[in-house]
């Protein structure tokens, strides 16, 4: 069993002590742990020789990072222009209703997080959403429950 | 200085020659022309954040006149530049910028004084004030703390309308030396601190620092960590550093005699 | 370990291999597996086919050919014939088609078109055209198109250097390195009139020249693949469909400028594009097409990838460079241009994906040929993502100068469901909305600007009568409020206040003086913002105010949303005469806001209704209206 500390260290050890690697390091940590903990940010600050203030600024500036733990499955609803005019706000409403959480929140069981993202580049299939990197096009509000069921029952690996 | 390193510009009709790389604001200051600023501080590089120092500029290039508005604090002078610092358009846009700043920091004295001068209406815009500070996000405190004092005790967080100056994970308590440079550069008095008995309490950053008592008179004078920092920076006997400035002066006076 | 490509002979061998890959002596099925293809179920199609074929049939993947609406698509190559593209595939269709393909038949079912000499004009064998199958240039979606940046997308295997070379790839780089002085390369690009495809439209060659002339070493080249405009996905498609084109373009630029190192800054929201670039760079290095002494010359060049952090502002050059340096993506004032002092404060040339993708083509066809395409001020082609309320959603590459109307109605097939066209939005959040009366305007950097919009990176979002223009303005401004970096007052506070005003108008709280306030605020934001994001932020407001003022007035004065979009200003009602009391809406309403019993026309309970619109969409009898 690899401990949190060990997997954090293995990420940190991949990179040289160079402030330019701040984003890549944080991206790896986000991917591994689904969020950036206080401990991880402090370790990054030490490893790259950067003040914590600078690490924190970057960690909070970019949408790709989260300081709160995220769910196992991350649902990203596209709010690009094409999706907007083709009804993606309705998808978001439906998710909020089905999961009982607001945009940016995580379900209590830690299974799902809902995020609104700015254009997944699937405009021809609007409205679109992405779950764990898998894109769904032409999504209708009534299909949401079926799509989510897939992720509830198995650990989806695609 | 060689001729190619000099630029001659005109500000409000007055000619001035400046070294290349100087800014329009510096030129105006030398001419005694007042341009209001908030995020500008001589000790730090200009940042162009608050936009209050906007001026109208124009230049003739290849027979065409180009005119535009830009922040004077960051605009580098170039030969033939004509600057007007107080046109109706500049005043109108400064007024609006003030109104925007007031929507964030409605209680700032500096802003309210400027509002009178520019006839700015505080209530045209919805408040974006979070109620706890007069911060206008000019960035001076962060810059001075990180890049001049090298304490790195405060930083920005988030972006856009949610942007804030913060002490991440209360780091400030660990690294702050109590130099109070942040307070000294803040244009709107947004950072609050007070002396409480033997402590310096910088409320805005949630920092409490124990004051060192003067080895001569016993009066608390500087935070202990500040004196520790000074040890590395100045060549002065430790015993002297541990005295308050007044007592130190007494020692100096004695030695001069 | 692969053999490094050093000589012309090496390249010719690779080219031959590539041609053989593209036109093998076996039946080949290529699944279009771009993000859009995958989202439409291409992976499933791939697996079904894989399980049903033996090794006599080749199975590969390719990028997107542009008509994303009709995904999943498969290109079927039967020896002797040009490849045929099949579309709208599902399990059922495959049951009939797959056995036929395996037999070497090319049935008409689900057949979109056949690619032919127009696509394979210079390379490969001459093959047969299949009767009764429409040819690419006969299909209205492709008829007016002219493919340069997209010429390989959906045609070749994006992971194969061989296939890219088989289509003429890397010959431009070879020619440049062996025969041309760096200055000559810049001269060709300048002479071609190529303007930056990222939106600004600055002359590419001139940019390169300034960078070459600037003192300071090393110099850098950067590819901006942080495609942030909502409604635009040209760059993603080029990367996913033809990554080597970008690598070759960057290498040519680097040679001209004198740069040993390049960066590609790509959106993290495009996982497939990131993966494709990584694979392509690895492959190019193995063949010696990146790295030390390319083609045995003194020119060495390598490329690194950096993923974006999810910030629209990082499409701005100085913010992008700050981001690669590991900082927050805040722009700096650009009084010293990035070609003089950019990444790491060194001379840096930044171009976007499409610009780089044009470079190899310009070198191979020559600037004179390139200039023949497009208009005088805007040469070449432009890729647009034509999406929204349009029949053929997809990606098109058109010669500059054709009209917006041709793109929407001839290529795009017009507006679906018999609805009326209202506006087309170009240029992303920095652009504007063009009304019907200006549709005859040619696509050209300067013409679009005159109309109050801009070319932008190429998003073209079509809006019909059901789109509320005040809501559209509000949407873009809310986007910018969230994406503003927060550095300067005008953009940070100004866009937020623009949003508040627009929001209250859409909520029926607008006041007549709000229009003047919007205009006054817009003027100041444009004049006084620090970077281009702020300076263009009011464009969607100003262009909708200019062309759709009546909609603003309706919201403010009559408290009505003419397009029936703004929730606060609409109401759902059941028409009793049409209601059959089927109960569908009652069951579907998540808020229990519909009352009714069997055989009794239903009613909406106003207090409970949140106007989600589910009942409206679900009613089989059109018995629910929006008023």
């Amino acid at each position: 069993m690899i401990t949190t500390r060990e997997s954090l260290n293995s990420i940190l050890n991949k990179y040289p002590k160079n402030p330019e690697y701040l984003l890549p390091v944080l991206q790896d940590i986000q991917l591994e742990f689904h969020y950036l903990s206080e401990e991880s940010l402090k370790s990054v600050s030490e490893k790259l020789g950067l003040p914590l203030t600078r690490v924190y600024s970057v960690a909070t500036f970019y949408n790709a990072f989260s300081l709160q733990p995220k769910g196992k499955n991350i649902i990203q609803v596209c709010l690009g222009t094409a999706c907007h005019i083709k009804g993606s706000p309705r998808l978001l409403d439906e998710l909020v209703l089905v999961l009982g959480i607001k945009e940016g929140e995580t379900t209590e069981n830690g299974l799902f997080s809902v995020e609104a993202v700015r254009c997944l580049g699937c405009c021809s299939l609007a409205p679109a959403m992405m779950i764990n990197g898998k894109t769904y096009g032409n999504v209708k509000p009534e299909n949401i429950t079926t799509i989510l069921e897939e992720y509830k029952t198995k650990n989806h690996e695609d | 200085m060689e001729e190619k390193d000099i630029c001659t510009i005109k500000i409000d009709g007055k000619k001035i020659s400046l070294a290349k790389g100087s800014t329009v604001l510096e030129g105006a200051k030398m001419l005694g022309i007042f341009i209001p600023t908030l995020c500008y501080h001589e000790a730090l590089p200009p940042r162009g954040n608050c936009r209050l120092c906007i001026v109208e500029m124009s230049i003739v290039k290849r027979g065409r006149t180009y005119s535009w508005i830009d922040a004077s604090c960051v605009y580098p002078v170039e030969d033939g530049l004509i600057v007007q610092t107080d046109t109706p358009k500049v005043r109108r846009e400064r007024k609006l910028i003030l109104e925007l700043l007031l929507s964030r920091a409605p209680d700032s004295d500096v802003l309210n004084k400027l509002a009178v001068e520019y006839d700015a209406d505080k209530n045209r815009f919805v408040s974006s004030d979070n109620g706890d500070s007069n911060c206008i996000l000019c960035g001076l405190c962060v810059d001075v703390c990180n890049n001049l004092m090298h304490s790195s005790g405060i930083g920005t967080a988030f972006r856009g309308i949610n942007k804030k100056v913060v002490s991440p994970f209360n780091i400030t308590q660990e690294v702050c030396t109590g130099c109070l440079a942040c307070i000294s550069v803040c244009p709107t008095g947004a950072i609050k601190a007070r002396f409480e008995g033997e402590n310096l309490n910088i409320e805005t950053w949630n920092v409490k620092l124990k004051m060192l008592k003067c080895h001569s008179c016993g009066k608390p004078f500087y935070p202990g960590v500040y004196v520790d920092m000074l040890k590395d920076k100045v060549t002065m006997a430790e015993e002297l550093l541990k005295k308050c400035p007044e007592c130190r002066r007494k020692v100096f006076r004695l030695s001069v005699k | 370990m692969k053999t490094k490509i050093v000589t012309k002979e090496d390249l010719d061998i690779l080219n031959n291999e590539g041609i053989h890959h593209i036109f093998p002596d076996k039946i080949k099925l290529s699944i279009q597996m771009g993000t859009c293809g995958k989202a439409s179920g291409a992976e499933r199609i791939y697996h079904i086919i894989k399980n049903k074929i033996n090794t006599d049939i080749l199975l590969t993947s390719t990028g997107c050919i542009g008509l994303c609406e009709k995904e999943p698509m498969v290109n079927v190559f039967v020896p002797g014939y040009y490849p045929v593209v099949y579309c709208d595939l599902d399990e059922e269709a495959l049951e009939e088609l797959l056995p036929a393909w395996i037999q070497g038949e090319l049935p008409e079912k689900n057949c979109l078109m056949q690619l032919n000499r127009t696509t394979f004009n210079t390379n490969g064998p001459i093959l047969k055209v299949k009767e009764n199958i429409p040819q690419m240039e006969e299909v209205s979606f492709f008829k007016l198109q002219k493919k340069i940046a997209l010429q390989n997308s959906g045609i070749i295997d994006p992971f194969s250097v061989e296939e890219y070379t088989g289509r003429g790839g890397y010959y431009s780089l070879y020619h440049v390195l062996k025969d041309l002085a760096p200055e000559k390369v810049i001269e060709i690009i300048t002479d071609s009139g190529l303007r930056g495809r990222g939106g600004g439209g600055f002359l590419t060659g001139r940019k390169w020249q300034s960078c070459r002339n600037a003192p300071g070493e090393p110099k850098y080249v950067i590819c901006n693949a942080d495609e942030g405009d909502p409604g635009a996905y040209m760059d993603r498609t080029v990367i996913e469909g033809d990554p080597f084109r970008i690598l070759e373009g960057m290498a040519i630029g680097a040679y001209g400028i004198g740069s040993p190192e390049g960066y590609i800054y790509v959106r993290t929201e495009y996982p497939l594009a990131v993966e494709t670039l990584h694979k392509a760079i690895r492959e190019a290095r193995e063949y010696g097409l990146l790295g030390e002494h390319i083609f045995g010359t003194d020119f060495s060049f390598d490329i690194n990838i950096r993923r974006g952090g999810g910030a629209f502002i990082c499409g701005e050059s100085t913010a992008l460079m700050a981001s690669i340096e590991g900082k927050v993506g805040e722009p700096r004032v650009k009084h010293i241009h990035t070609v003089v002092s950019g990444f790491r404060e060194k001379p840096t040339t930044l171009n976007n994906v499409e610009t780089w993708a044009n470079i190899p083509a310009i070198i191979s066809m020559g600037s004179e040929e390139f200039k023949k395409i497009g208009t005088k001020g805007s040469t070449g082609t432009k890729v647009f993502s034509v999406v929204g309320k349009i029949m053929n959603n997809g990606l098109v590459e058109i010669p500059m100068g054709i009209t917006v109307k041709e793109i929407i109605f001839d290529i795009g097939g017009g507006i679906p469901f018999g609805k009326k066209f209202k506006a087309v939005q170009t240029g992303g959040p920095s652009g504007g909305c063009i009304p019907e009366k200006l549709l005859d305007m040619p696509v050209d950097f300067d013409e679009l600007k005159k109309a109050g919009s801009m070319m932008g990176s190429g998003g073209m979002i079509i809006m019909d009568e059901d789109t509320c223009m005040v809501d559209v303005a509000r949407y873009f401004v809310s986007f910018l409020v969230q994406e503003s970096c927060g550095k300067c007052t005008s953009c940070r506070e100004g866009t937020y206040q623009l949003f508040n005003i627009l929001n209250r108008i859409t909520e029926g709280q607008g006041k007549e003086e709000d229009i003047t306030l919007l205009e006054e605020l817009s003027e100041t934001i444009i004049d006084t913002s620090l970077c281009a994001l702020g300076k263009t932020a009011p464009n969607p407001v100003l262009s909708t105010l200019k062309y759709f003022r009546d909609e603003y007035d309706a919201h403010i004065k009559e408290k009505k949303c003419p397009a029936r979009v703004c929730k606060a200003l609409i109401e759902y009602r059941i028409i009793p005469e049409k209601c059959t009391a089927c109960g569908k809406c009652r069951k579907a309403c998540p808020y229990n806001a519909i009352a009714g019993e069997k055989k009794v026309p239903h009613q909406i309970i106003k207090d409970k209704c949140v106007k989600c619109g589910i009942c409206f969409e679900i009613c089989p009898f059109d018995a629910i209206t929006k008023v």
Side-chain angles (χ1 to χ4, degrees):
Chain A
M1 189 66 189
I2 303 165
T3 65
T4 310
R5 188 67 237 180
E6 277 164 357
S7 53
L8 180 62
N9 283 341
S10 76
I11 292 172
L12 292 173
N13 290 335
K14 276 194 343 207
Y15 295 94
K17 184 176 178 172
N18 178 343
E20 280 185 12
Y21 289 100
L22 180 53
L23 265 86
V25 175
L26 294 180
Q27 282 165 335
D28 283 2
I29 297 173
Q30 175 77 37
L31 190 71
E32 176 75 25
F33 301 104
H34 298 304
Y35 85 113
L36 307 175
S37 66
E38 180 174 340
E39 186 203 0
S40 66
L41 291 179
K42 286 183 173 163
S43 308
V44 170
S45 147
E46 263 169 52
K47 164 74 195 190
L48 296 183
L50 277 173
L52 185 63
T53 47
R54 163 96 179 266
V55 176
Y56 191 81
S57 292
V58 168
T60 55
F61 183 89
Y62 294 99
N63 278 357
F65 306 126
S66 161
L67 268 56
Q68 307 299 324
K70 287 262 160 115
K72 201 164 144 193
N73 302 297
I74 295 164
I75 309 170
Q76 296 176 305
V77 179
C78 180
L79 291 189
T81 319
C83 288
H84 177 82
I85 64 169
K86 282 188 150 182
S88 67
R90 282 269 322 276
L91 292 187
L92 203 56
D93 287 351
E94 183 70 15
L95 278 165
V96 165
L97 200 70
V98 170
L99 296 172
I101 49 168
K102 281 203 276 287
E103 178 209 324
E105 292 180 348
T106 303
T107 53
E108 244 172 61
N109 59 14
L111 212 49
F112 293 105
S113 291
V114 177
E115 293 173 6
V117 291
R118 299 301 181 162
C119 201
L120 295 168
C122 273
C123 320
S124 51
L125 305 168
M129 67 179 198
M130 184 151 89
I131 306 182
N132 306 341
K134 181 175 176 177
T135 317
Y136 294 83
N138 292 319
V139 186
K140 294 190 175 70
E142 54 264 36
N143 301 342
I144 295 249
T145 324
T146 329
I147 294 172
L148 294 188
E149 211 49 51
E150 218 182 306
Y151 292 87
K152 277 183 189 161
T153 46
K154 61 167 181 151
N155 193 2
H156 202 83
E157 285 168 16
D158 247 325
Chain B
M1 205 179 285
E2 287 181 49
E3 204 172 311
K4 67 176 171 55
D5 297 325
I6 305 261
C7 299
T8 304
I9 67 168
K10 223 185 223 179
I11 306 178
D12 292 347
K14 293 178 195 163
K15 259 194 186 171
I16 184 167
S17 294
L18 296 144
K20 221 173 191 173
S22 314
T23 63
V24 169
L25 181 66
E26 284 164 349
K29 276 183 191 280
M30 284 165 82
L31 285 169
I33 294 167
F34 177 75
I35 298 173
T37 60
L38 289 166
C39 73
Y40 179 80
H41 194 285
E42 269 99 346
L44 294 160
R47 59 213 63 242
N49 285 2
C50 78
R51 315 310 283 176
L52 198 64
C53 70
I54 49 161
V55 291
E56 264 193 278
M57 295 192 241
S58 65
I59 200 161
V60 179
K61 271 185 187 172
R62 290 182 288 270
R64 265 185 68 185
T65 308
Y66 297 86
S67 305
W68 70 100
I69 296 248
D70 218 324
S72 59
C73 71
V74 283
Y75 202 88
V77 291
E78 56 182 316
D79 254 325
L81 189 72
I82 295 163
V83 179
Q84 285 179 292
T85 66
D86 206 37
T87 62
K89 187 174 171 72
V90 165
R91 288 192 73 85
R92 188 168 75 235
E93 298 197 341
R94 268 189 208 147
K95 161 182 178 305
L96 203 126
I97 289 167
L98 279 169
E99 289 170 342
L100 291 173
L101 287 169
L102 278 161
S103 72
R104 174 169 287 268
D107 303 326
S108 154
D109 290 340
V110 179
L111 291 181
N112 279 301
K113 263 185 214 150
L114 282 162
V116 176
E117 145 114 44
Y118 284 90
D119 194 25
D121 178 356
K122 237 180 176 176
N123 300 314
R124 276 215 298 174
F125 296 117
V126 175
S127 165
S128 62
D129 173 25
N130 51 12
D132 56 5
S133 120
N134 279 327
C135 176
I136 54 161
L137 296 165
C138 74
L140 282 173
C141 58
V142 172
D143 197 3
V144 78
C145 182
N146 286 268
N147 303 327
L148 215 56
M149 306 312 295
H150 301 289
S151 300
S152 298
I154 49 174
T156 57
F158 309 104
R159 68 182 187 208
I161 197 75
N162 299 317
K163 188 173 172 172
K164 278 188 176 85
V165 179
V166 297
S167 155
F169 308 117
N170 258 333
I171 180 83
T172 326
Q173 177 66 52
E174 288 167 41
V175 296
C176 178
T177 62
C179 73
L180 301 184
C182 53
I183 294 181
S184 110
V185 296
C186 179
T188 53
I191 305 162
K192 294 183 188 75
R194 56 202 162 104
F195 294 100
E196 278 177 339
E198 291 183 6
N199 287 323
L200 166 64
N201 185 359
I202 313 176
E203 292 156 51
T204 310
W205 313 132
N206 202 14
V207 165
K208 257 192 190 147
L209 298 173
K210 202 159 162 49
M211 301 290 281
L212 189 71
K213 284 182 188 154
C214 172
H215 279 201
S216 298
C217 67
K219 194 179 80 184
F221 68 108
Y222 283 161
V225 281
Y226 182 74
V227 176
D228 290 342
M229 178 199 69
L230 284 182
K231 268 187 225 160
D232 300 332
K233 296 204 171 174
V234 293
T235 43
M236 199 188 281
E238 194 170 339
E239 202 29 55
L240 272 175
L241 278 172
K242 288 183 174 166
K243 292 180 198 295
C244 71
E246 280 148 48
C247 293
R248 209 185 297 152
R249 249 173 249 130
K250 278 182 204 158
V251 177
F252 284 142
R253 253 179 255 136
L254 280 175
S255 69
V256 173
K257 274 176 194 167
Chain C
M1 202 55 199
K2 280 165 181 146
T3 335
K4 300 246 190 254
I5 306 298
V6 180
T7 63
K8 181 80 186 318
E9 287 70 46
D10 295 341
L11 195 59
D12 288 341
I13 293 170
L14 201 66
N15 167 279
N16 251 321
E17 263 178 60
I19 292 176
H20 194 71
H21 279 204
I22 301 170
F23 309 108
D25 40 26
K26 289 176 178 180
I27 292 168
K28 184 178 78 169
L29 306 176
S30 311
I31 323 293
Q32 297 197 11
M33 297 261 262
T35 298
C36 41
K38 283 188 169 179
S40 307
E43 275 166 328
R44 212 178 138 64
I45 300 289
Y46 186 91
H47 288 299
I48 294 172
I49 295 180
K50 201 178 169 191
N51 288 332
K52 287 191 179 163
I53 56 169
N54 57 31
T55 49
D56 286 341
I57 310 281
L58 296 170
L59 180 63
T60 65
S61 68
T62 180
C64 169
I65 207 159
L67 192 46
C68 319
E69 172 106 18
K70 296 204 184 298
E71 303 261 22
M73 293 202 233
V74 175
N75 301 358
V76 180
F77 174 76
V78 171
Y81 290 95
Y82 281 112
V84 174
V85 184
Y86 287 85
C87 63
D88 284 327
L89 296 173
D90 53 21
E91 227 165 313
E92 210 187 310
L94 277 184
E95 260 176 46
E96 201 182 317
L97 285 169
L98 191 55
W101 295 340
I102 293 173
Q103 295 299 317
E105 290 163 22
L106 295 166
E108 285 166 44
K109 181 185 162 69
N110 287 65
C111 178
L112 175 68
M113 62 185 177
Q114 185 174 27
L115 307 171
N116 55 30
R117 203 99 195 109
T118 334
T119 306
F120 302 104
N121 51 356
T122 49
N123 344 73
I126 293 180
L127 301 163
K128 274 182 277 186
V129 162
K130 181 91 181 153
E131 271 173 46
N132 299 331
I133 285 181
Q135 298 299 296
M136 190 175 186
E137 66 275 9
E138 292 164 9
V139 178
S140 59
F141 183 76
F142 294 98
K143 203 185 279 176
L144 293 173
Q145 293 198 48
K146 167 84 188 162
K147 299 213 178 196
I148 293 178
L150 291 175
Q151 61 180 271
N152 289 338
S153 186
I155 309 282
I156 62 165
D157 179 350
F159 301 116
S160 164
V161 183
E162 292 87 348
E163 293 197 19
Y164 176 63
T165 312
R167 294 273 287 150
Y170 279 113
Y171 279 90
S172 295
L173 181 61
Y174 183 86
H175 171 55
V176 159
L177 296 190
K178 294 282 190 179
D179 312 325
L180 301 180
E183 290 81 3
K184 181 70 191 164
V185 177
I186 297 181
E187 197 187 305
I188 294 171
I189 302 302
T190 309
D191 188 51
S192 77
L194 178 72
R195 294 171 71 169
R197 300 298 195 239
F202 194 79
L203 208 59
T204 306
R206 195 176 292 164
K207 195 189 244 184
W208 290 13
Q209 189 65 57
S210 313
C211 190
R212 181 170 178 82
N213 295 348
E217 299 289 338
K219 296 180 163 77
Y220 294 101
V221 292
I222 295 181
C223 171
N224 182 354
D226 194 50
E227 185 171 51
D229 278 6
Y233 62 102
M234 299 74 51
D235 296 347
R236 173 179 71 65
T237 308
V238 176
I239 295 170
E240 289 173 2
D242 199 11
F244 294 104
R245 173 173 296 276
I246 301 157
L247 307 189
E248 188 186 0
M250 287 178 76
I252 295 169
Y255 173 74
I257 292 152
S259 157
E261 199 180 355
Y263 281 82
I264 301 178
Y265 187 82
V266 55
R267 281 188 87 191
T268 188
E269 292 90 336
Y270 289 173
L272 183 62
V274 175
E275 192 193 321
T276 309
L277 282 172
H278 274 292
K279 277 193 194 166
I281 288 177
R282 242 189 340 256
E283 193 86 352
R285 280 181 189 152
E286 283 192 20
Y287 277 104
L289 298 165
L290 276 179
E292 301 287 313
H293 301 292
I294 299 174
F295 290 125
T297 64
D298 288 340
F299 176 65
S300 300
F301 176 67
D302 208 348
I303 296 176
N304 305 297
I305 297 175
R306 286 287 180 277
R307 272 179 300 146
F312 176 71
I313 184 64
C314 289
E316 198 277 345
S317 60
T318 58
L320 185 151
M321 289 171 201
S323 185
I324 306 184
E325 288 168 3
K327 300 172 184 160
V328 295
E330 282 183 2
R332 62 160 177 80
V333 282
K334 274 208 268 193
H335 303 313
I336 298 172
H337 202 277
T338 50
V339 290
V340 175
S341 174
F343 179 54
R344 296 179 183 155
E345 297 182 5
K346 299 290 180 197
T348 307
T349 292
L350 180 138
N351 287 123
N352 100 318
V353 171
E354 197 185 328
T355 313
W356 289 121
N358 267 287
I359 303 299
I362 295 174
I363 298 292
S364 72
M365 73 169 80
S367 56
E368 283 309 313
E369 278 305 303
F370 186 80
K371 270 194 285 193
K372 285 181 190 161
I373 308 163
T375 62
K376 195 160 180 292
S378 306
T379 56
T381 60
K382 178 76 195 85
V383 183
F384 286 99
S385 63
V386 183
V387 294
K389 308 286 186 70
I390 183 105
M391 284 296 254
N392 305 325
N393 275 281
L395 210 62
V396 305
E397 182 168 5
I398 46 102
M400 300 267 196
I402 79 167
T403 65
V404 179
K405 196 181 215 161
E406 284 172 299
I407 297 180
I408 297 170
F409 291 93
D410 297 343
I411 298 175
I415 318 298
F417 309 118
K419 298 271 182 182
K420 212 174 152 324
F421 169 88
K422 185 184 272 181
V424 50
Q425 207 276 346
T426 66
S430 314
C433 295
I434 301 164
E436 192 169 11
K437 65 174 182 198
L438 294 178
L439 281 187
D440 286 319
M441 177 176 49
V443 169
D444 178 293
F445 283 102
D446 311 309
E447 295 287 333
L448 282 164
K449 211 168 182 180
K450 266 190 242 159
S453 184
M454 62 187 266
M455 181 81 83
S457 56
M460 203 174 252
I461 297 107
I462 319 301
M463 298 163 184
D464 68 2
E465 57 188 289
D466 291 342
T467 313
C468 167
M469 300 315 285
V470 187
D471 177 65
V472 165
R474 176 183 158 276
Y475 163 80
F476 280 113
V477 173
S478 90
F479 176 92
L480 290 164
V481 170
Q482 293 187 29
E483 297 299 335
S484 163
C485 78
K487 182 177 161 74
C488 80
T489 308
S490 318
C491 174
R492 181 188 65 232
E493 308 292 335
T495 53
Y496 177 66
Q497 296 302 344
L498 275 182
F499 172 77
N500 285 328
I501 300 165
L502 291 165
N503 200 43
R504 73 172 171 249
I505 295 175
T506 58
E507 284 180 346
Q509 311 290 322
K511 295 168 280 189
E512 290 200 26
E513 58 269 29
D514 279 347
I515 302 281
T516 339
L517 193 54
L518 281 175
E519 285 166 342
E520 199 185 320
L521 190 51
S522 295
E523 184 199 6
T524 300
I525 296 172
I526 289 169
D527 282 342
T528 69
S529 287
L530 187 144
C531 82
L533 186 141
K535 282 186 182 298
T536 55
N539 283 358
V541 183
L542 293 178
S543 73
T544 47
L545 265 177
K546 184 170 171 188
Y547 299 121
F548 303 96
R549 176 64 187 264
D550 53 327
E551 293 196 32
Y552 281 87
D553 288 341
H555 282 75
I556 294 170
K557 292 178 191 157
E558 298 152 38
K559 308 290 174 209
K560 283 238 171 335
C561 173
R564 298 185 181 86
V565 169
C566 298
K567 277 185 186 179
L569 303 177
I570 56 164
E571 206 177 277
Y572 286 92
R573 279 188 204 153
I574 297 176
I575 307 164
E577 297 77 38
K578 283 192 177 176
C579 179
T580 63
C582 70
K584 263 201 166 169
C585 59
R586 179 164 43 87
K587 282 172 209 140
C589 178
Y591 302 94
N592 295 323
I594 299 179
E597 290 162 39
K598 272 184 192 170
K599 293 182 185 169
V600 183
H602 287 22
Q603 271 187 322
I604 294 172
I605 308 162
K606 267 195 193 174
D607 303 345
K608 284 190 178 176
C609 177
V610 301
K611 299 171 188 172
C612 71
I614 289 179
C615 58
F616 179 77
E617 274 165 37
I618 214 165
C619 176
F621 307 100
D622 287 334
I624 298 176
T625 57
K626 274 193 270 188
V627 284

